[in-house]
Amino acid sequence: MKCEWVRQNVILYLYEELADDSRYEFEQHVARCAGCAAEVESGREFQQALAAAPVVQPTPNLLTAARMRLQEALETAEQGGFWQRFVFDPGAWLRQIRFSPALAMVLVMVGFGGGVGAMYFMHGQAEPTLGSSGGLPPDQASISGIRSVTKDPSSDRVSIQYDTVTSHREEGAVSDQRIQQLLLFAARNNYNSGVRVDSIDLLTLQPNDVRVREALVYALRYDNNPGVRLKALEGLGSYVKDDVRVRNAVLDALLNDGNPGVRVQALHLLEPVKADGSVRVVLQRLAESDQSQFIRTQARSALAQLPEID
């Protein structure tokens, strides 16, 4: 491992964003290289100084609107043409620049501040969309990620560690509003799939909450981790019969999910409603042409138990 790579990744190391194997190699190199060790120490001192400075929190309404509009923009953005990439490629340009850790951290803060300011200028009157309380509480408005979710096995107490500029911890019962909102945030926004699994697992304890059910449907449709999708199915199972939105999400998982285990679980959940018209159509399609022999067999068996339609 070269010193140049280590110095370019000091910021990721300090904020625990490096993959485990890269982090191990990083620490091994720093233990042998005095120059890189000094660079890490300099970055850590700057991080501590930055954490000690007062932080101006954006309003919950602004942050919620910004996140939702960013998600919509990413989903609808069109890729640039060949000539646009040929004339100017920002990613390639940035890779040519070797920032020092301190300068990189300053630029990140300036960029974030500028983005929030621009969004506030353009959408200052946007309505909150997360939860009945108008989004996250003011002291949690700038949450950047959920680090861990831990449930006390002997009670309904939950401990959640989350990050703003610094790391925080919130403790309370699963039913507490602040705990619920942190779990909802973690289920949709966290980069750590293990935390998402833990959050979905706890949310399934209260699927009657409309926000919780929406989060479970969202996880089933869009989460890239099959373990998270399976947990979401587990929480939605009792609502397949009475909630059409849940039934449609389970049907979509049965037809399109890339994980065989998720598809099989979705098929089992649809057993009580196999006589429903939309479910019958899907079963007929699977029985005729699904690539999985097990799914084809199960679909045929389910159809054989249904009465004929005149």
Side-chain angles (χ1 to χ4, degrees), residues 225-227 229-230 233 250 253-268 286 290-296 298:
N225 186 284
R229 300 198 299 275
L230 282 168
L233 274 173
V250 175
L254 174 58
L255 284 170
N256 302 310
D257 199 281
N259 184 274
V262 173
R263 297 189 66 211
V264 169
Q265 179 67 11
L267 183 61
H268 290 329
L286 297 175
D290 195 82
Q291 295 181 351
S292 168
Q293 181 178 355
F294 179 81
I295 294 290
R296 289 199 308 272
Q298 292 296 308

Side-chain angles (χ1 to χ4, degrees), residues 235-254:
L236 292 170
S238 59
Y239 295 93
V240 170
K241 184 176 181 180
D242 300 320
D243 192 323
V244 175
R245 290 182 65 250
V246 171
R247 189 185 313 160
N248 289 340
V250 175
L251 282 170
D252 184 63
L254 174 58

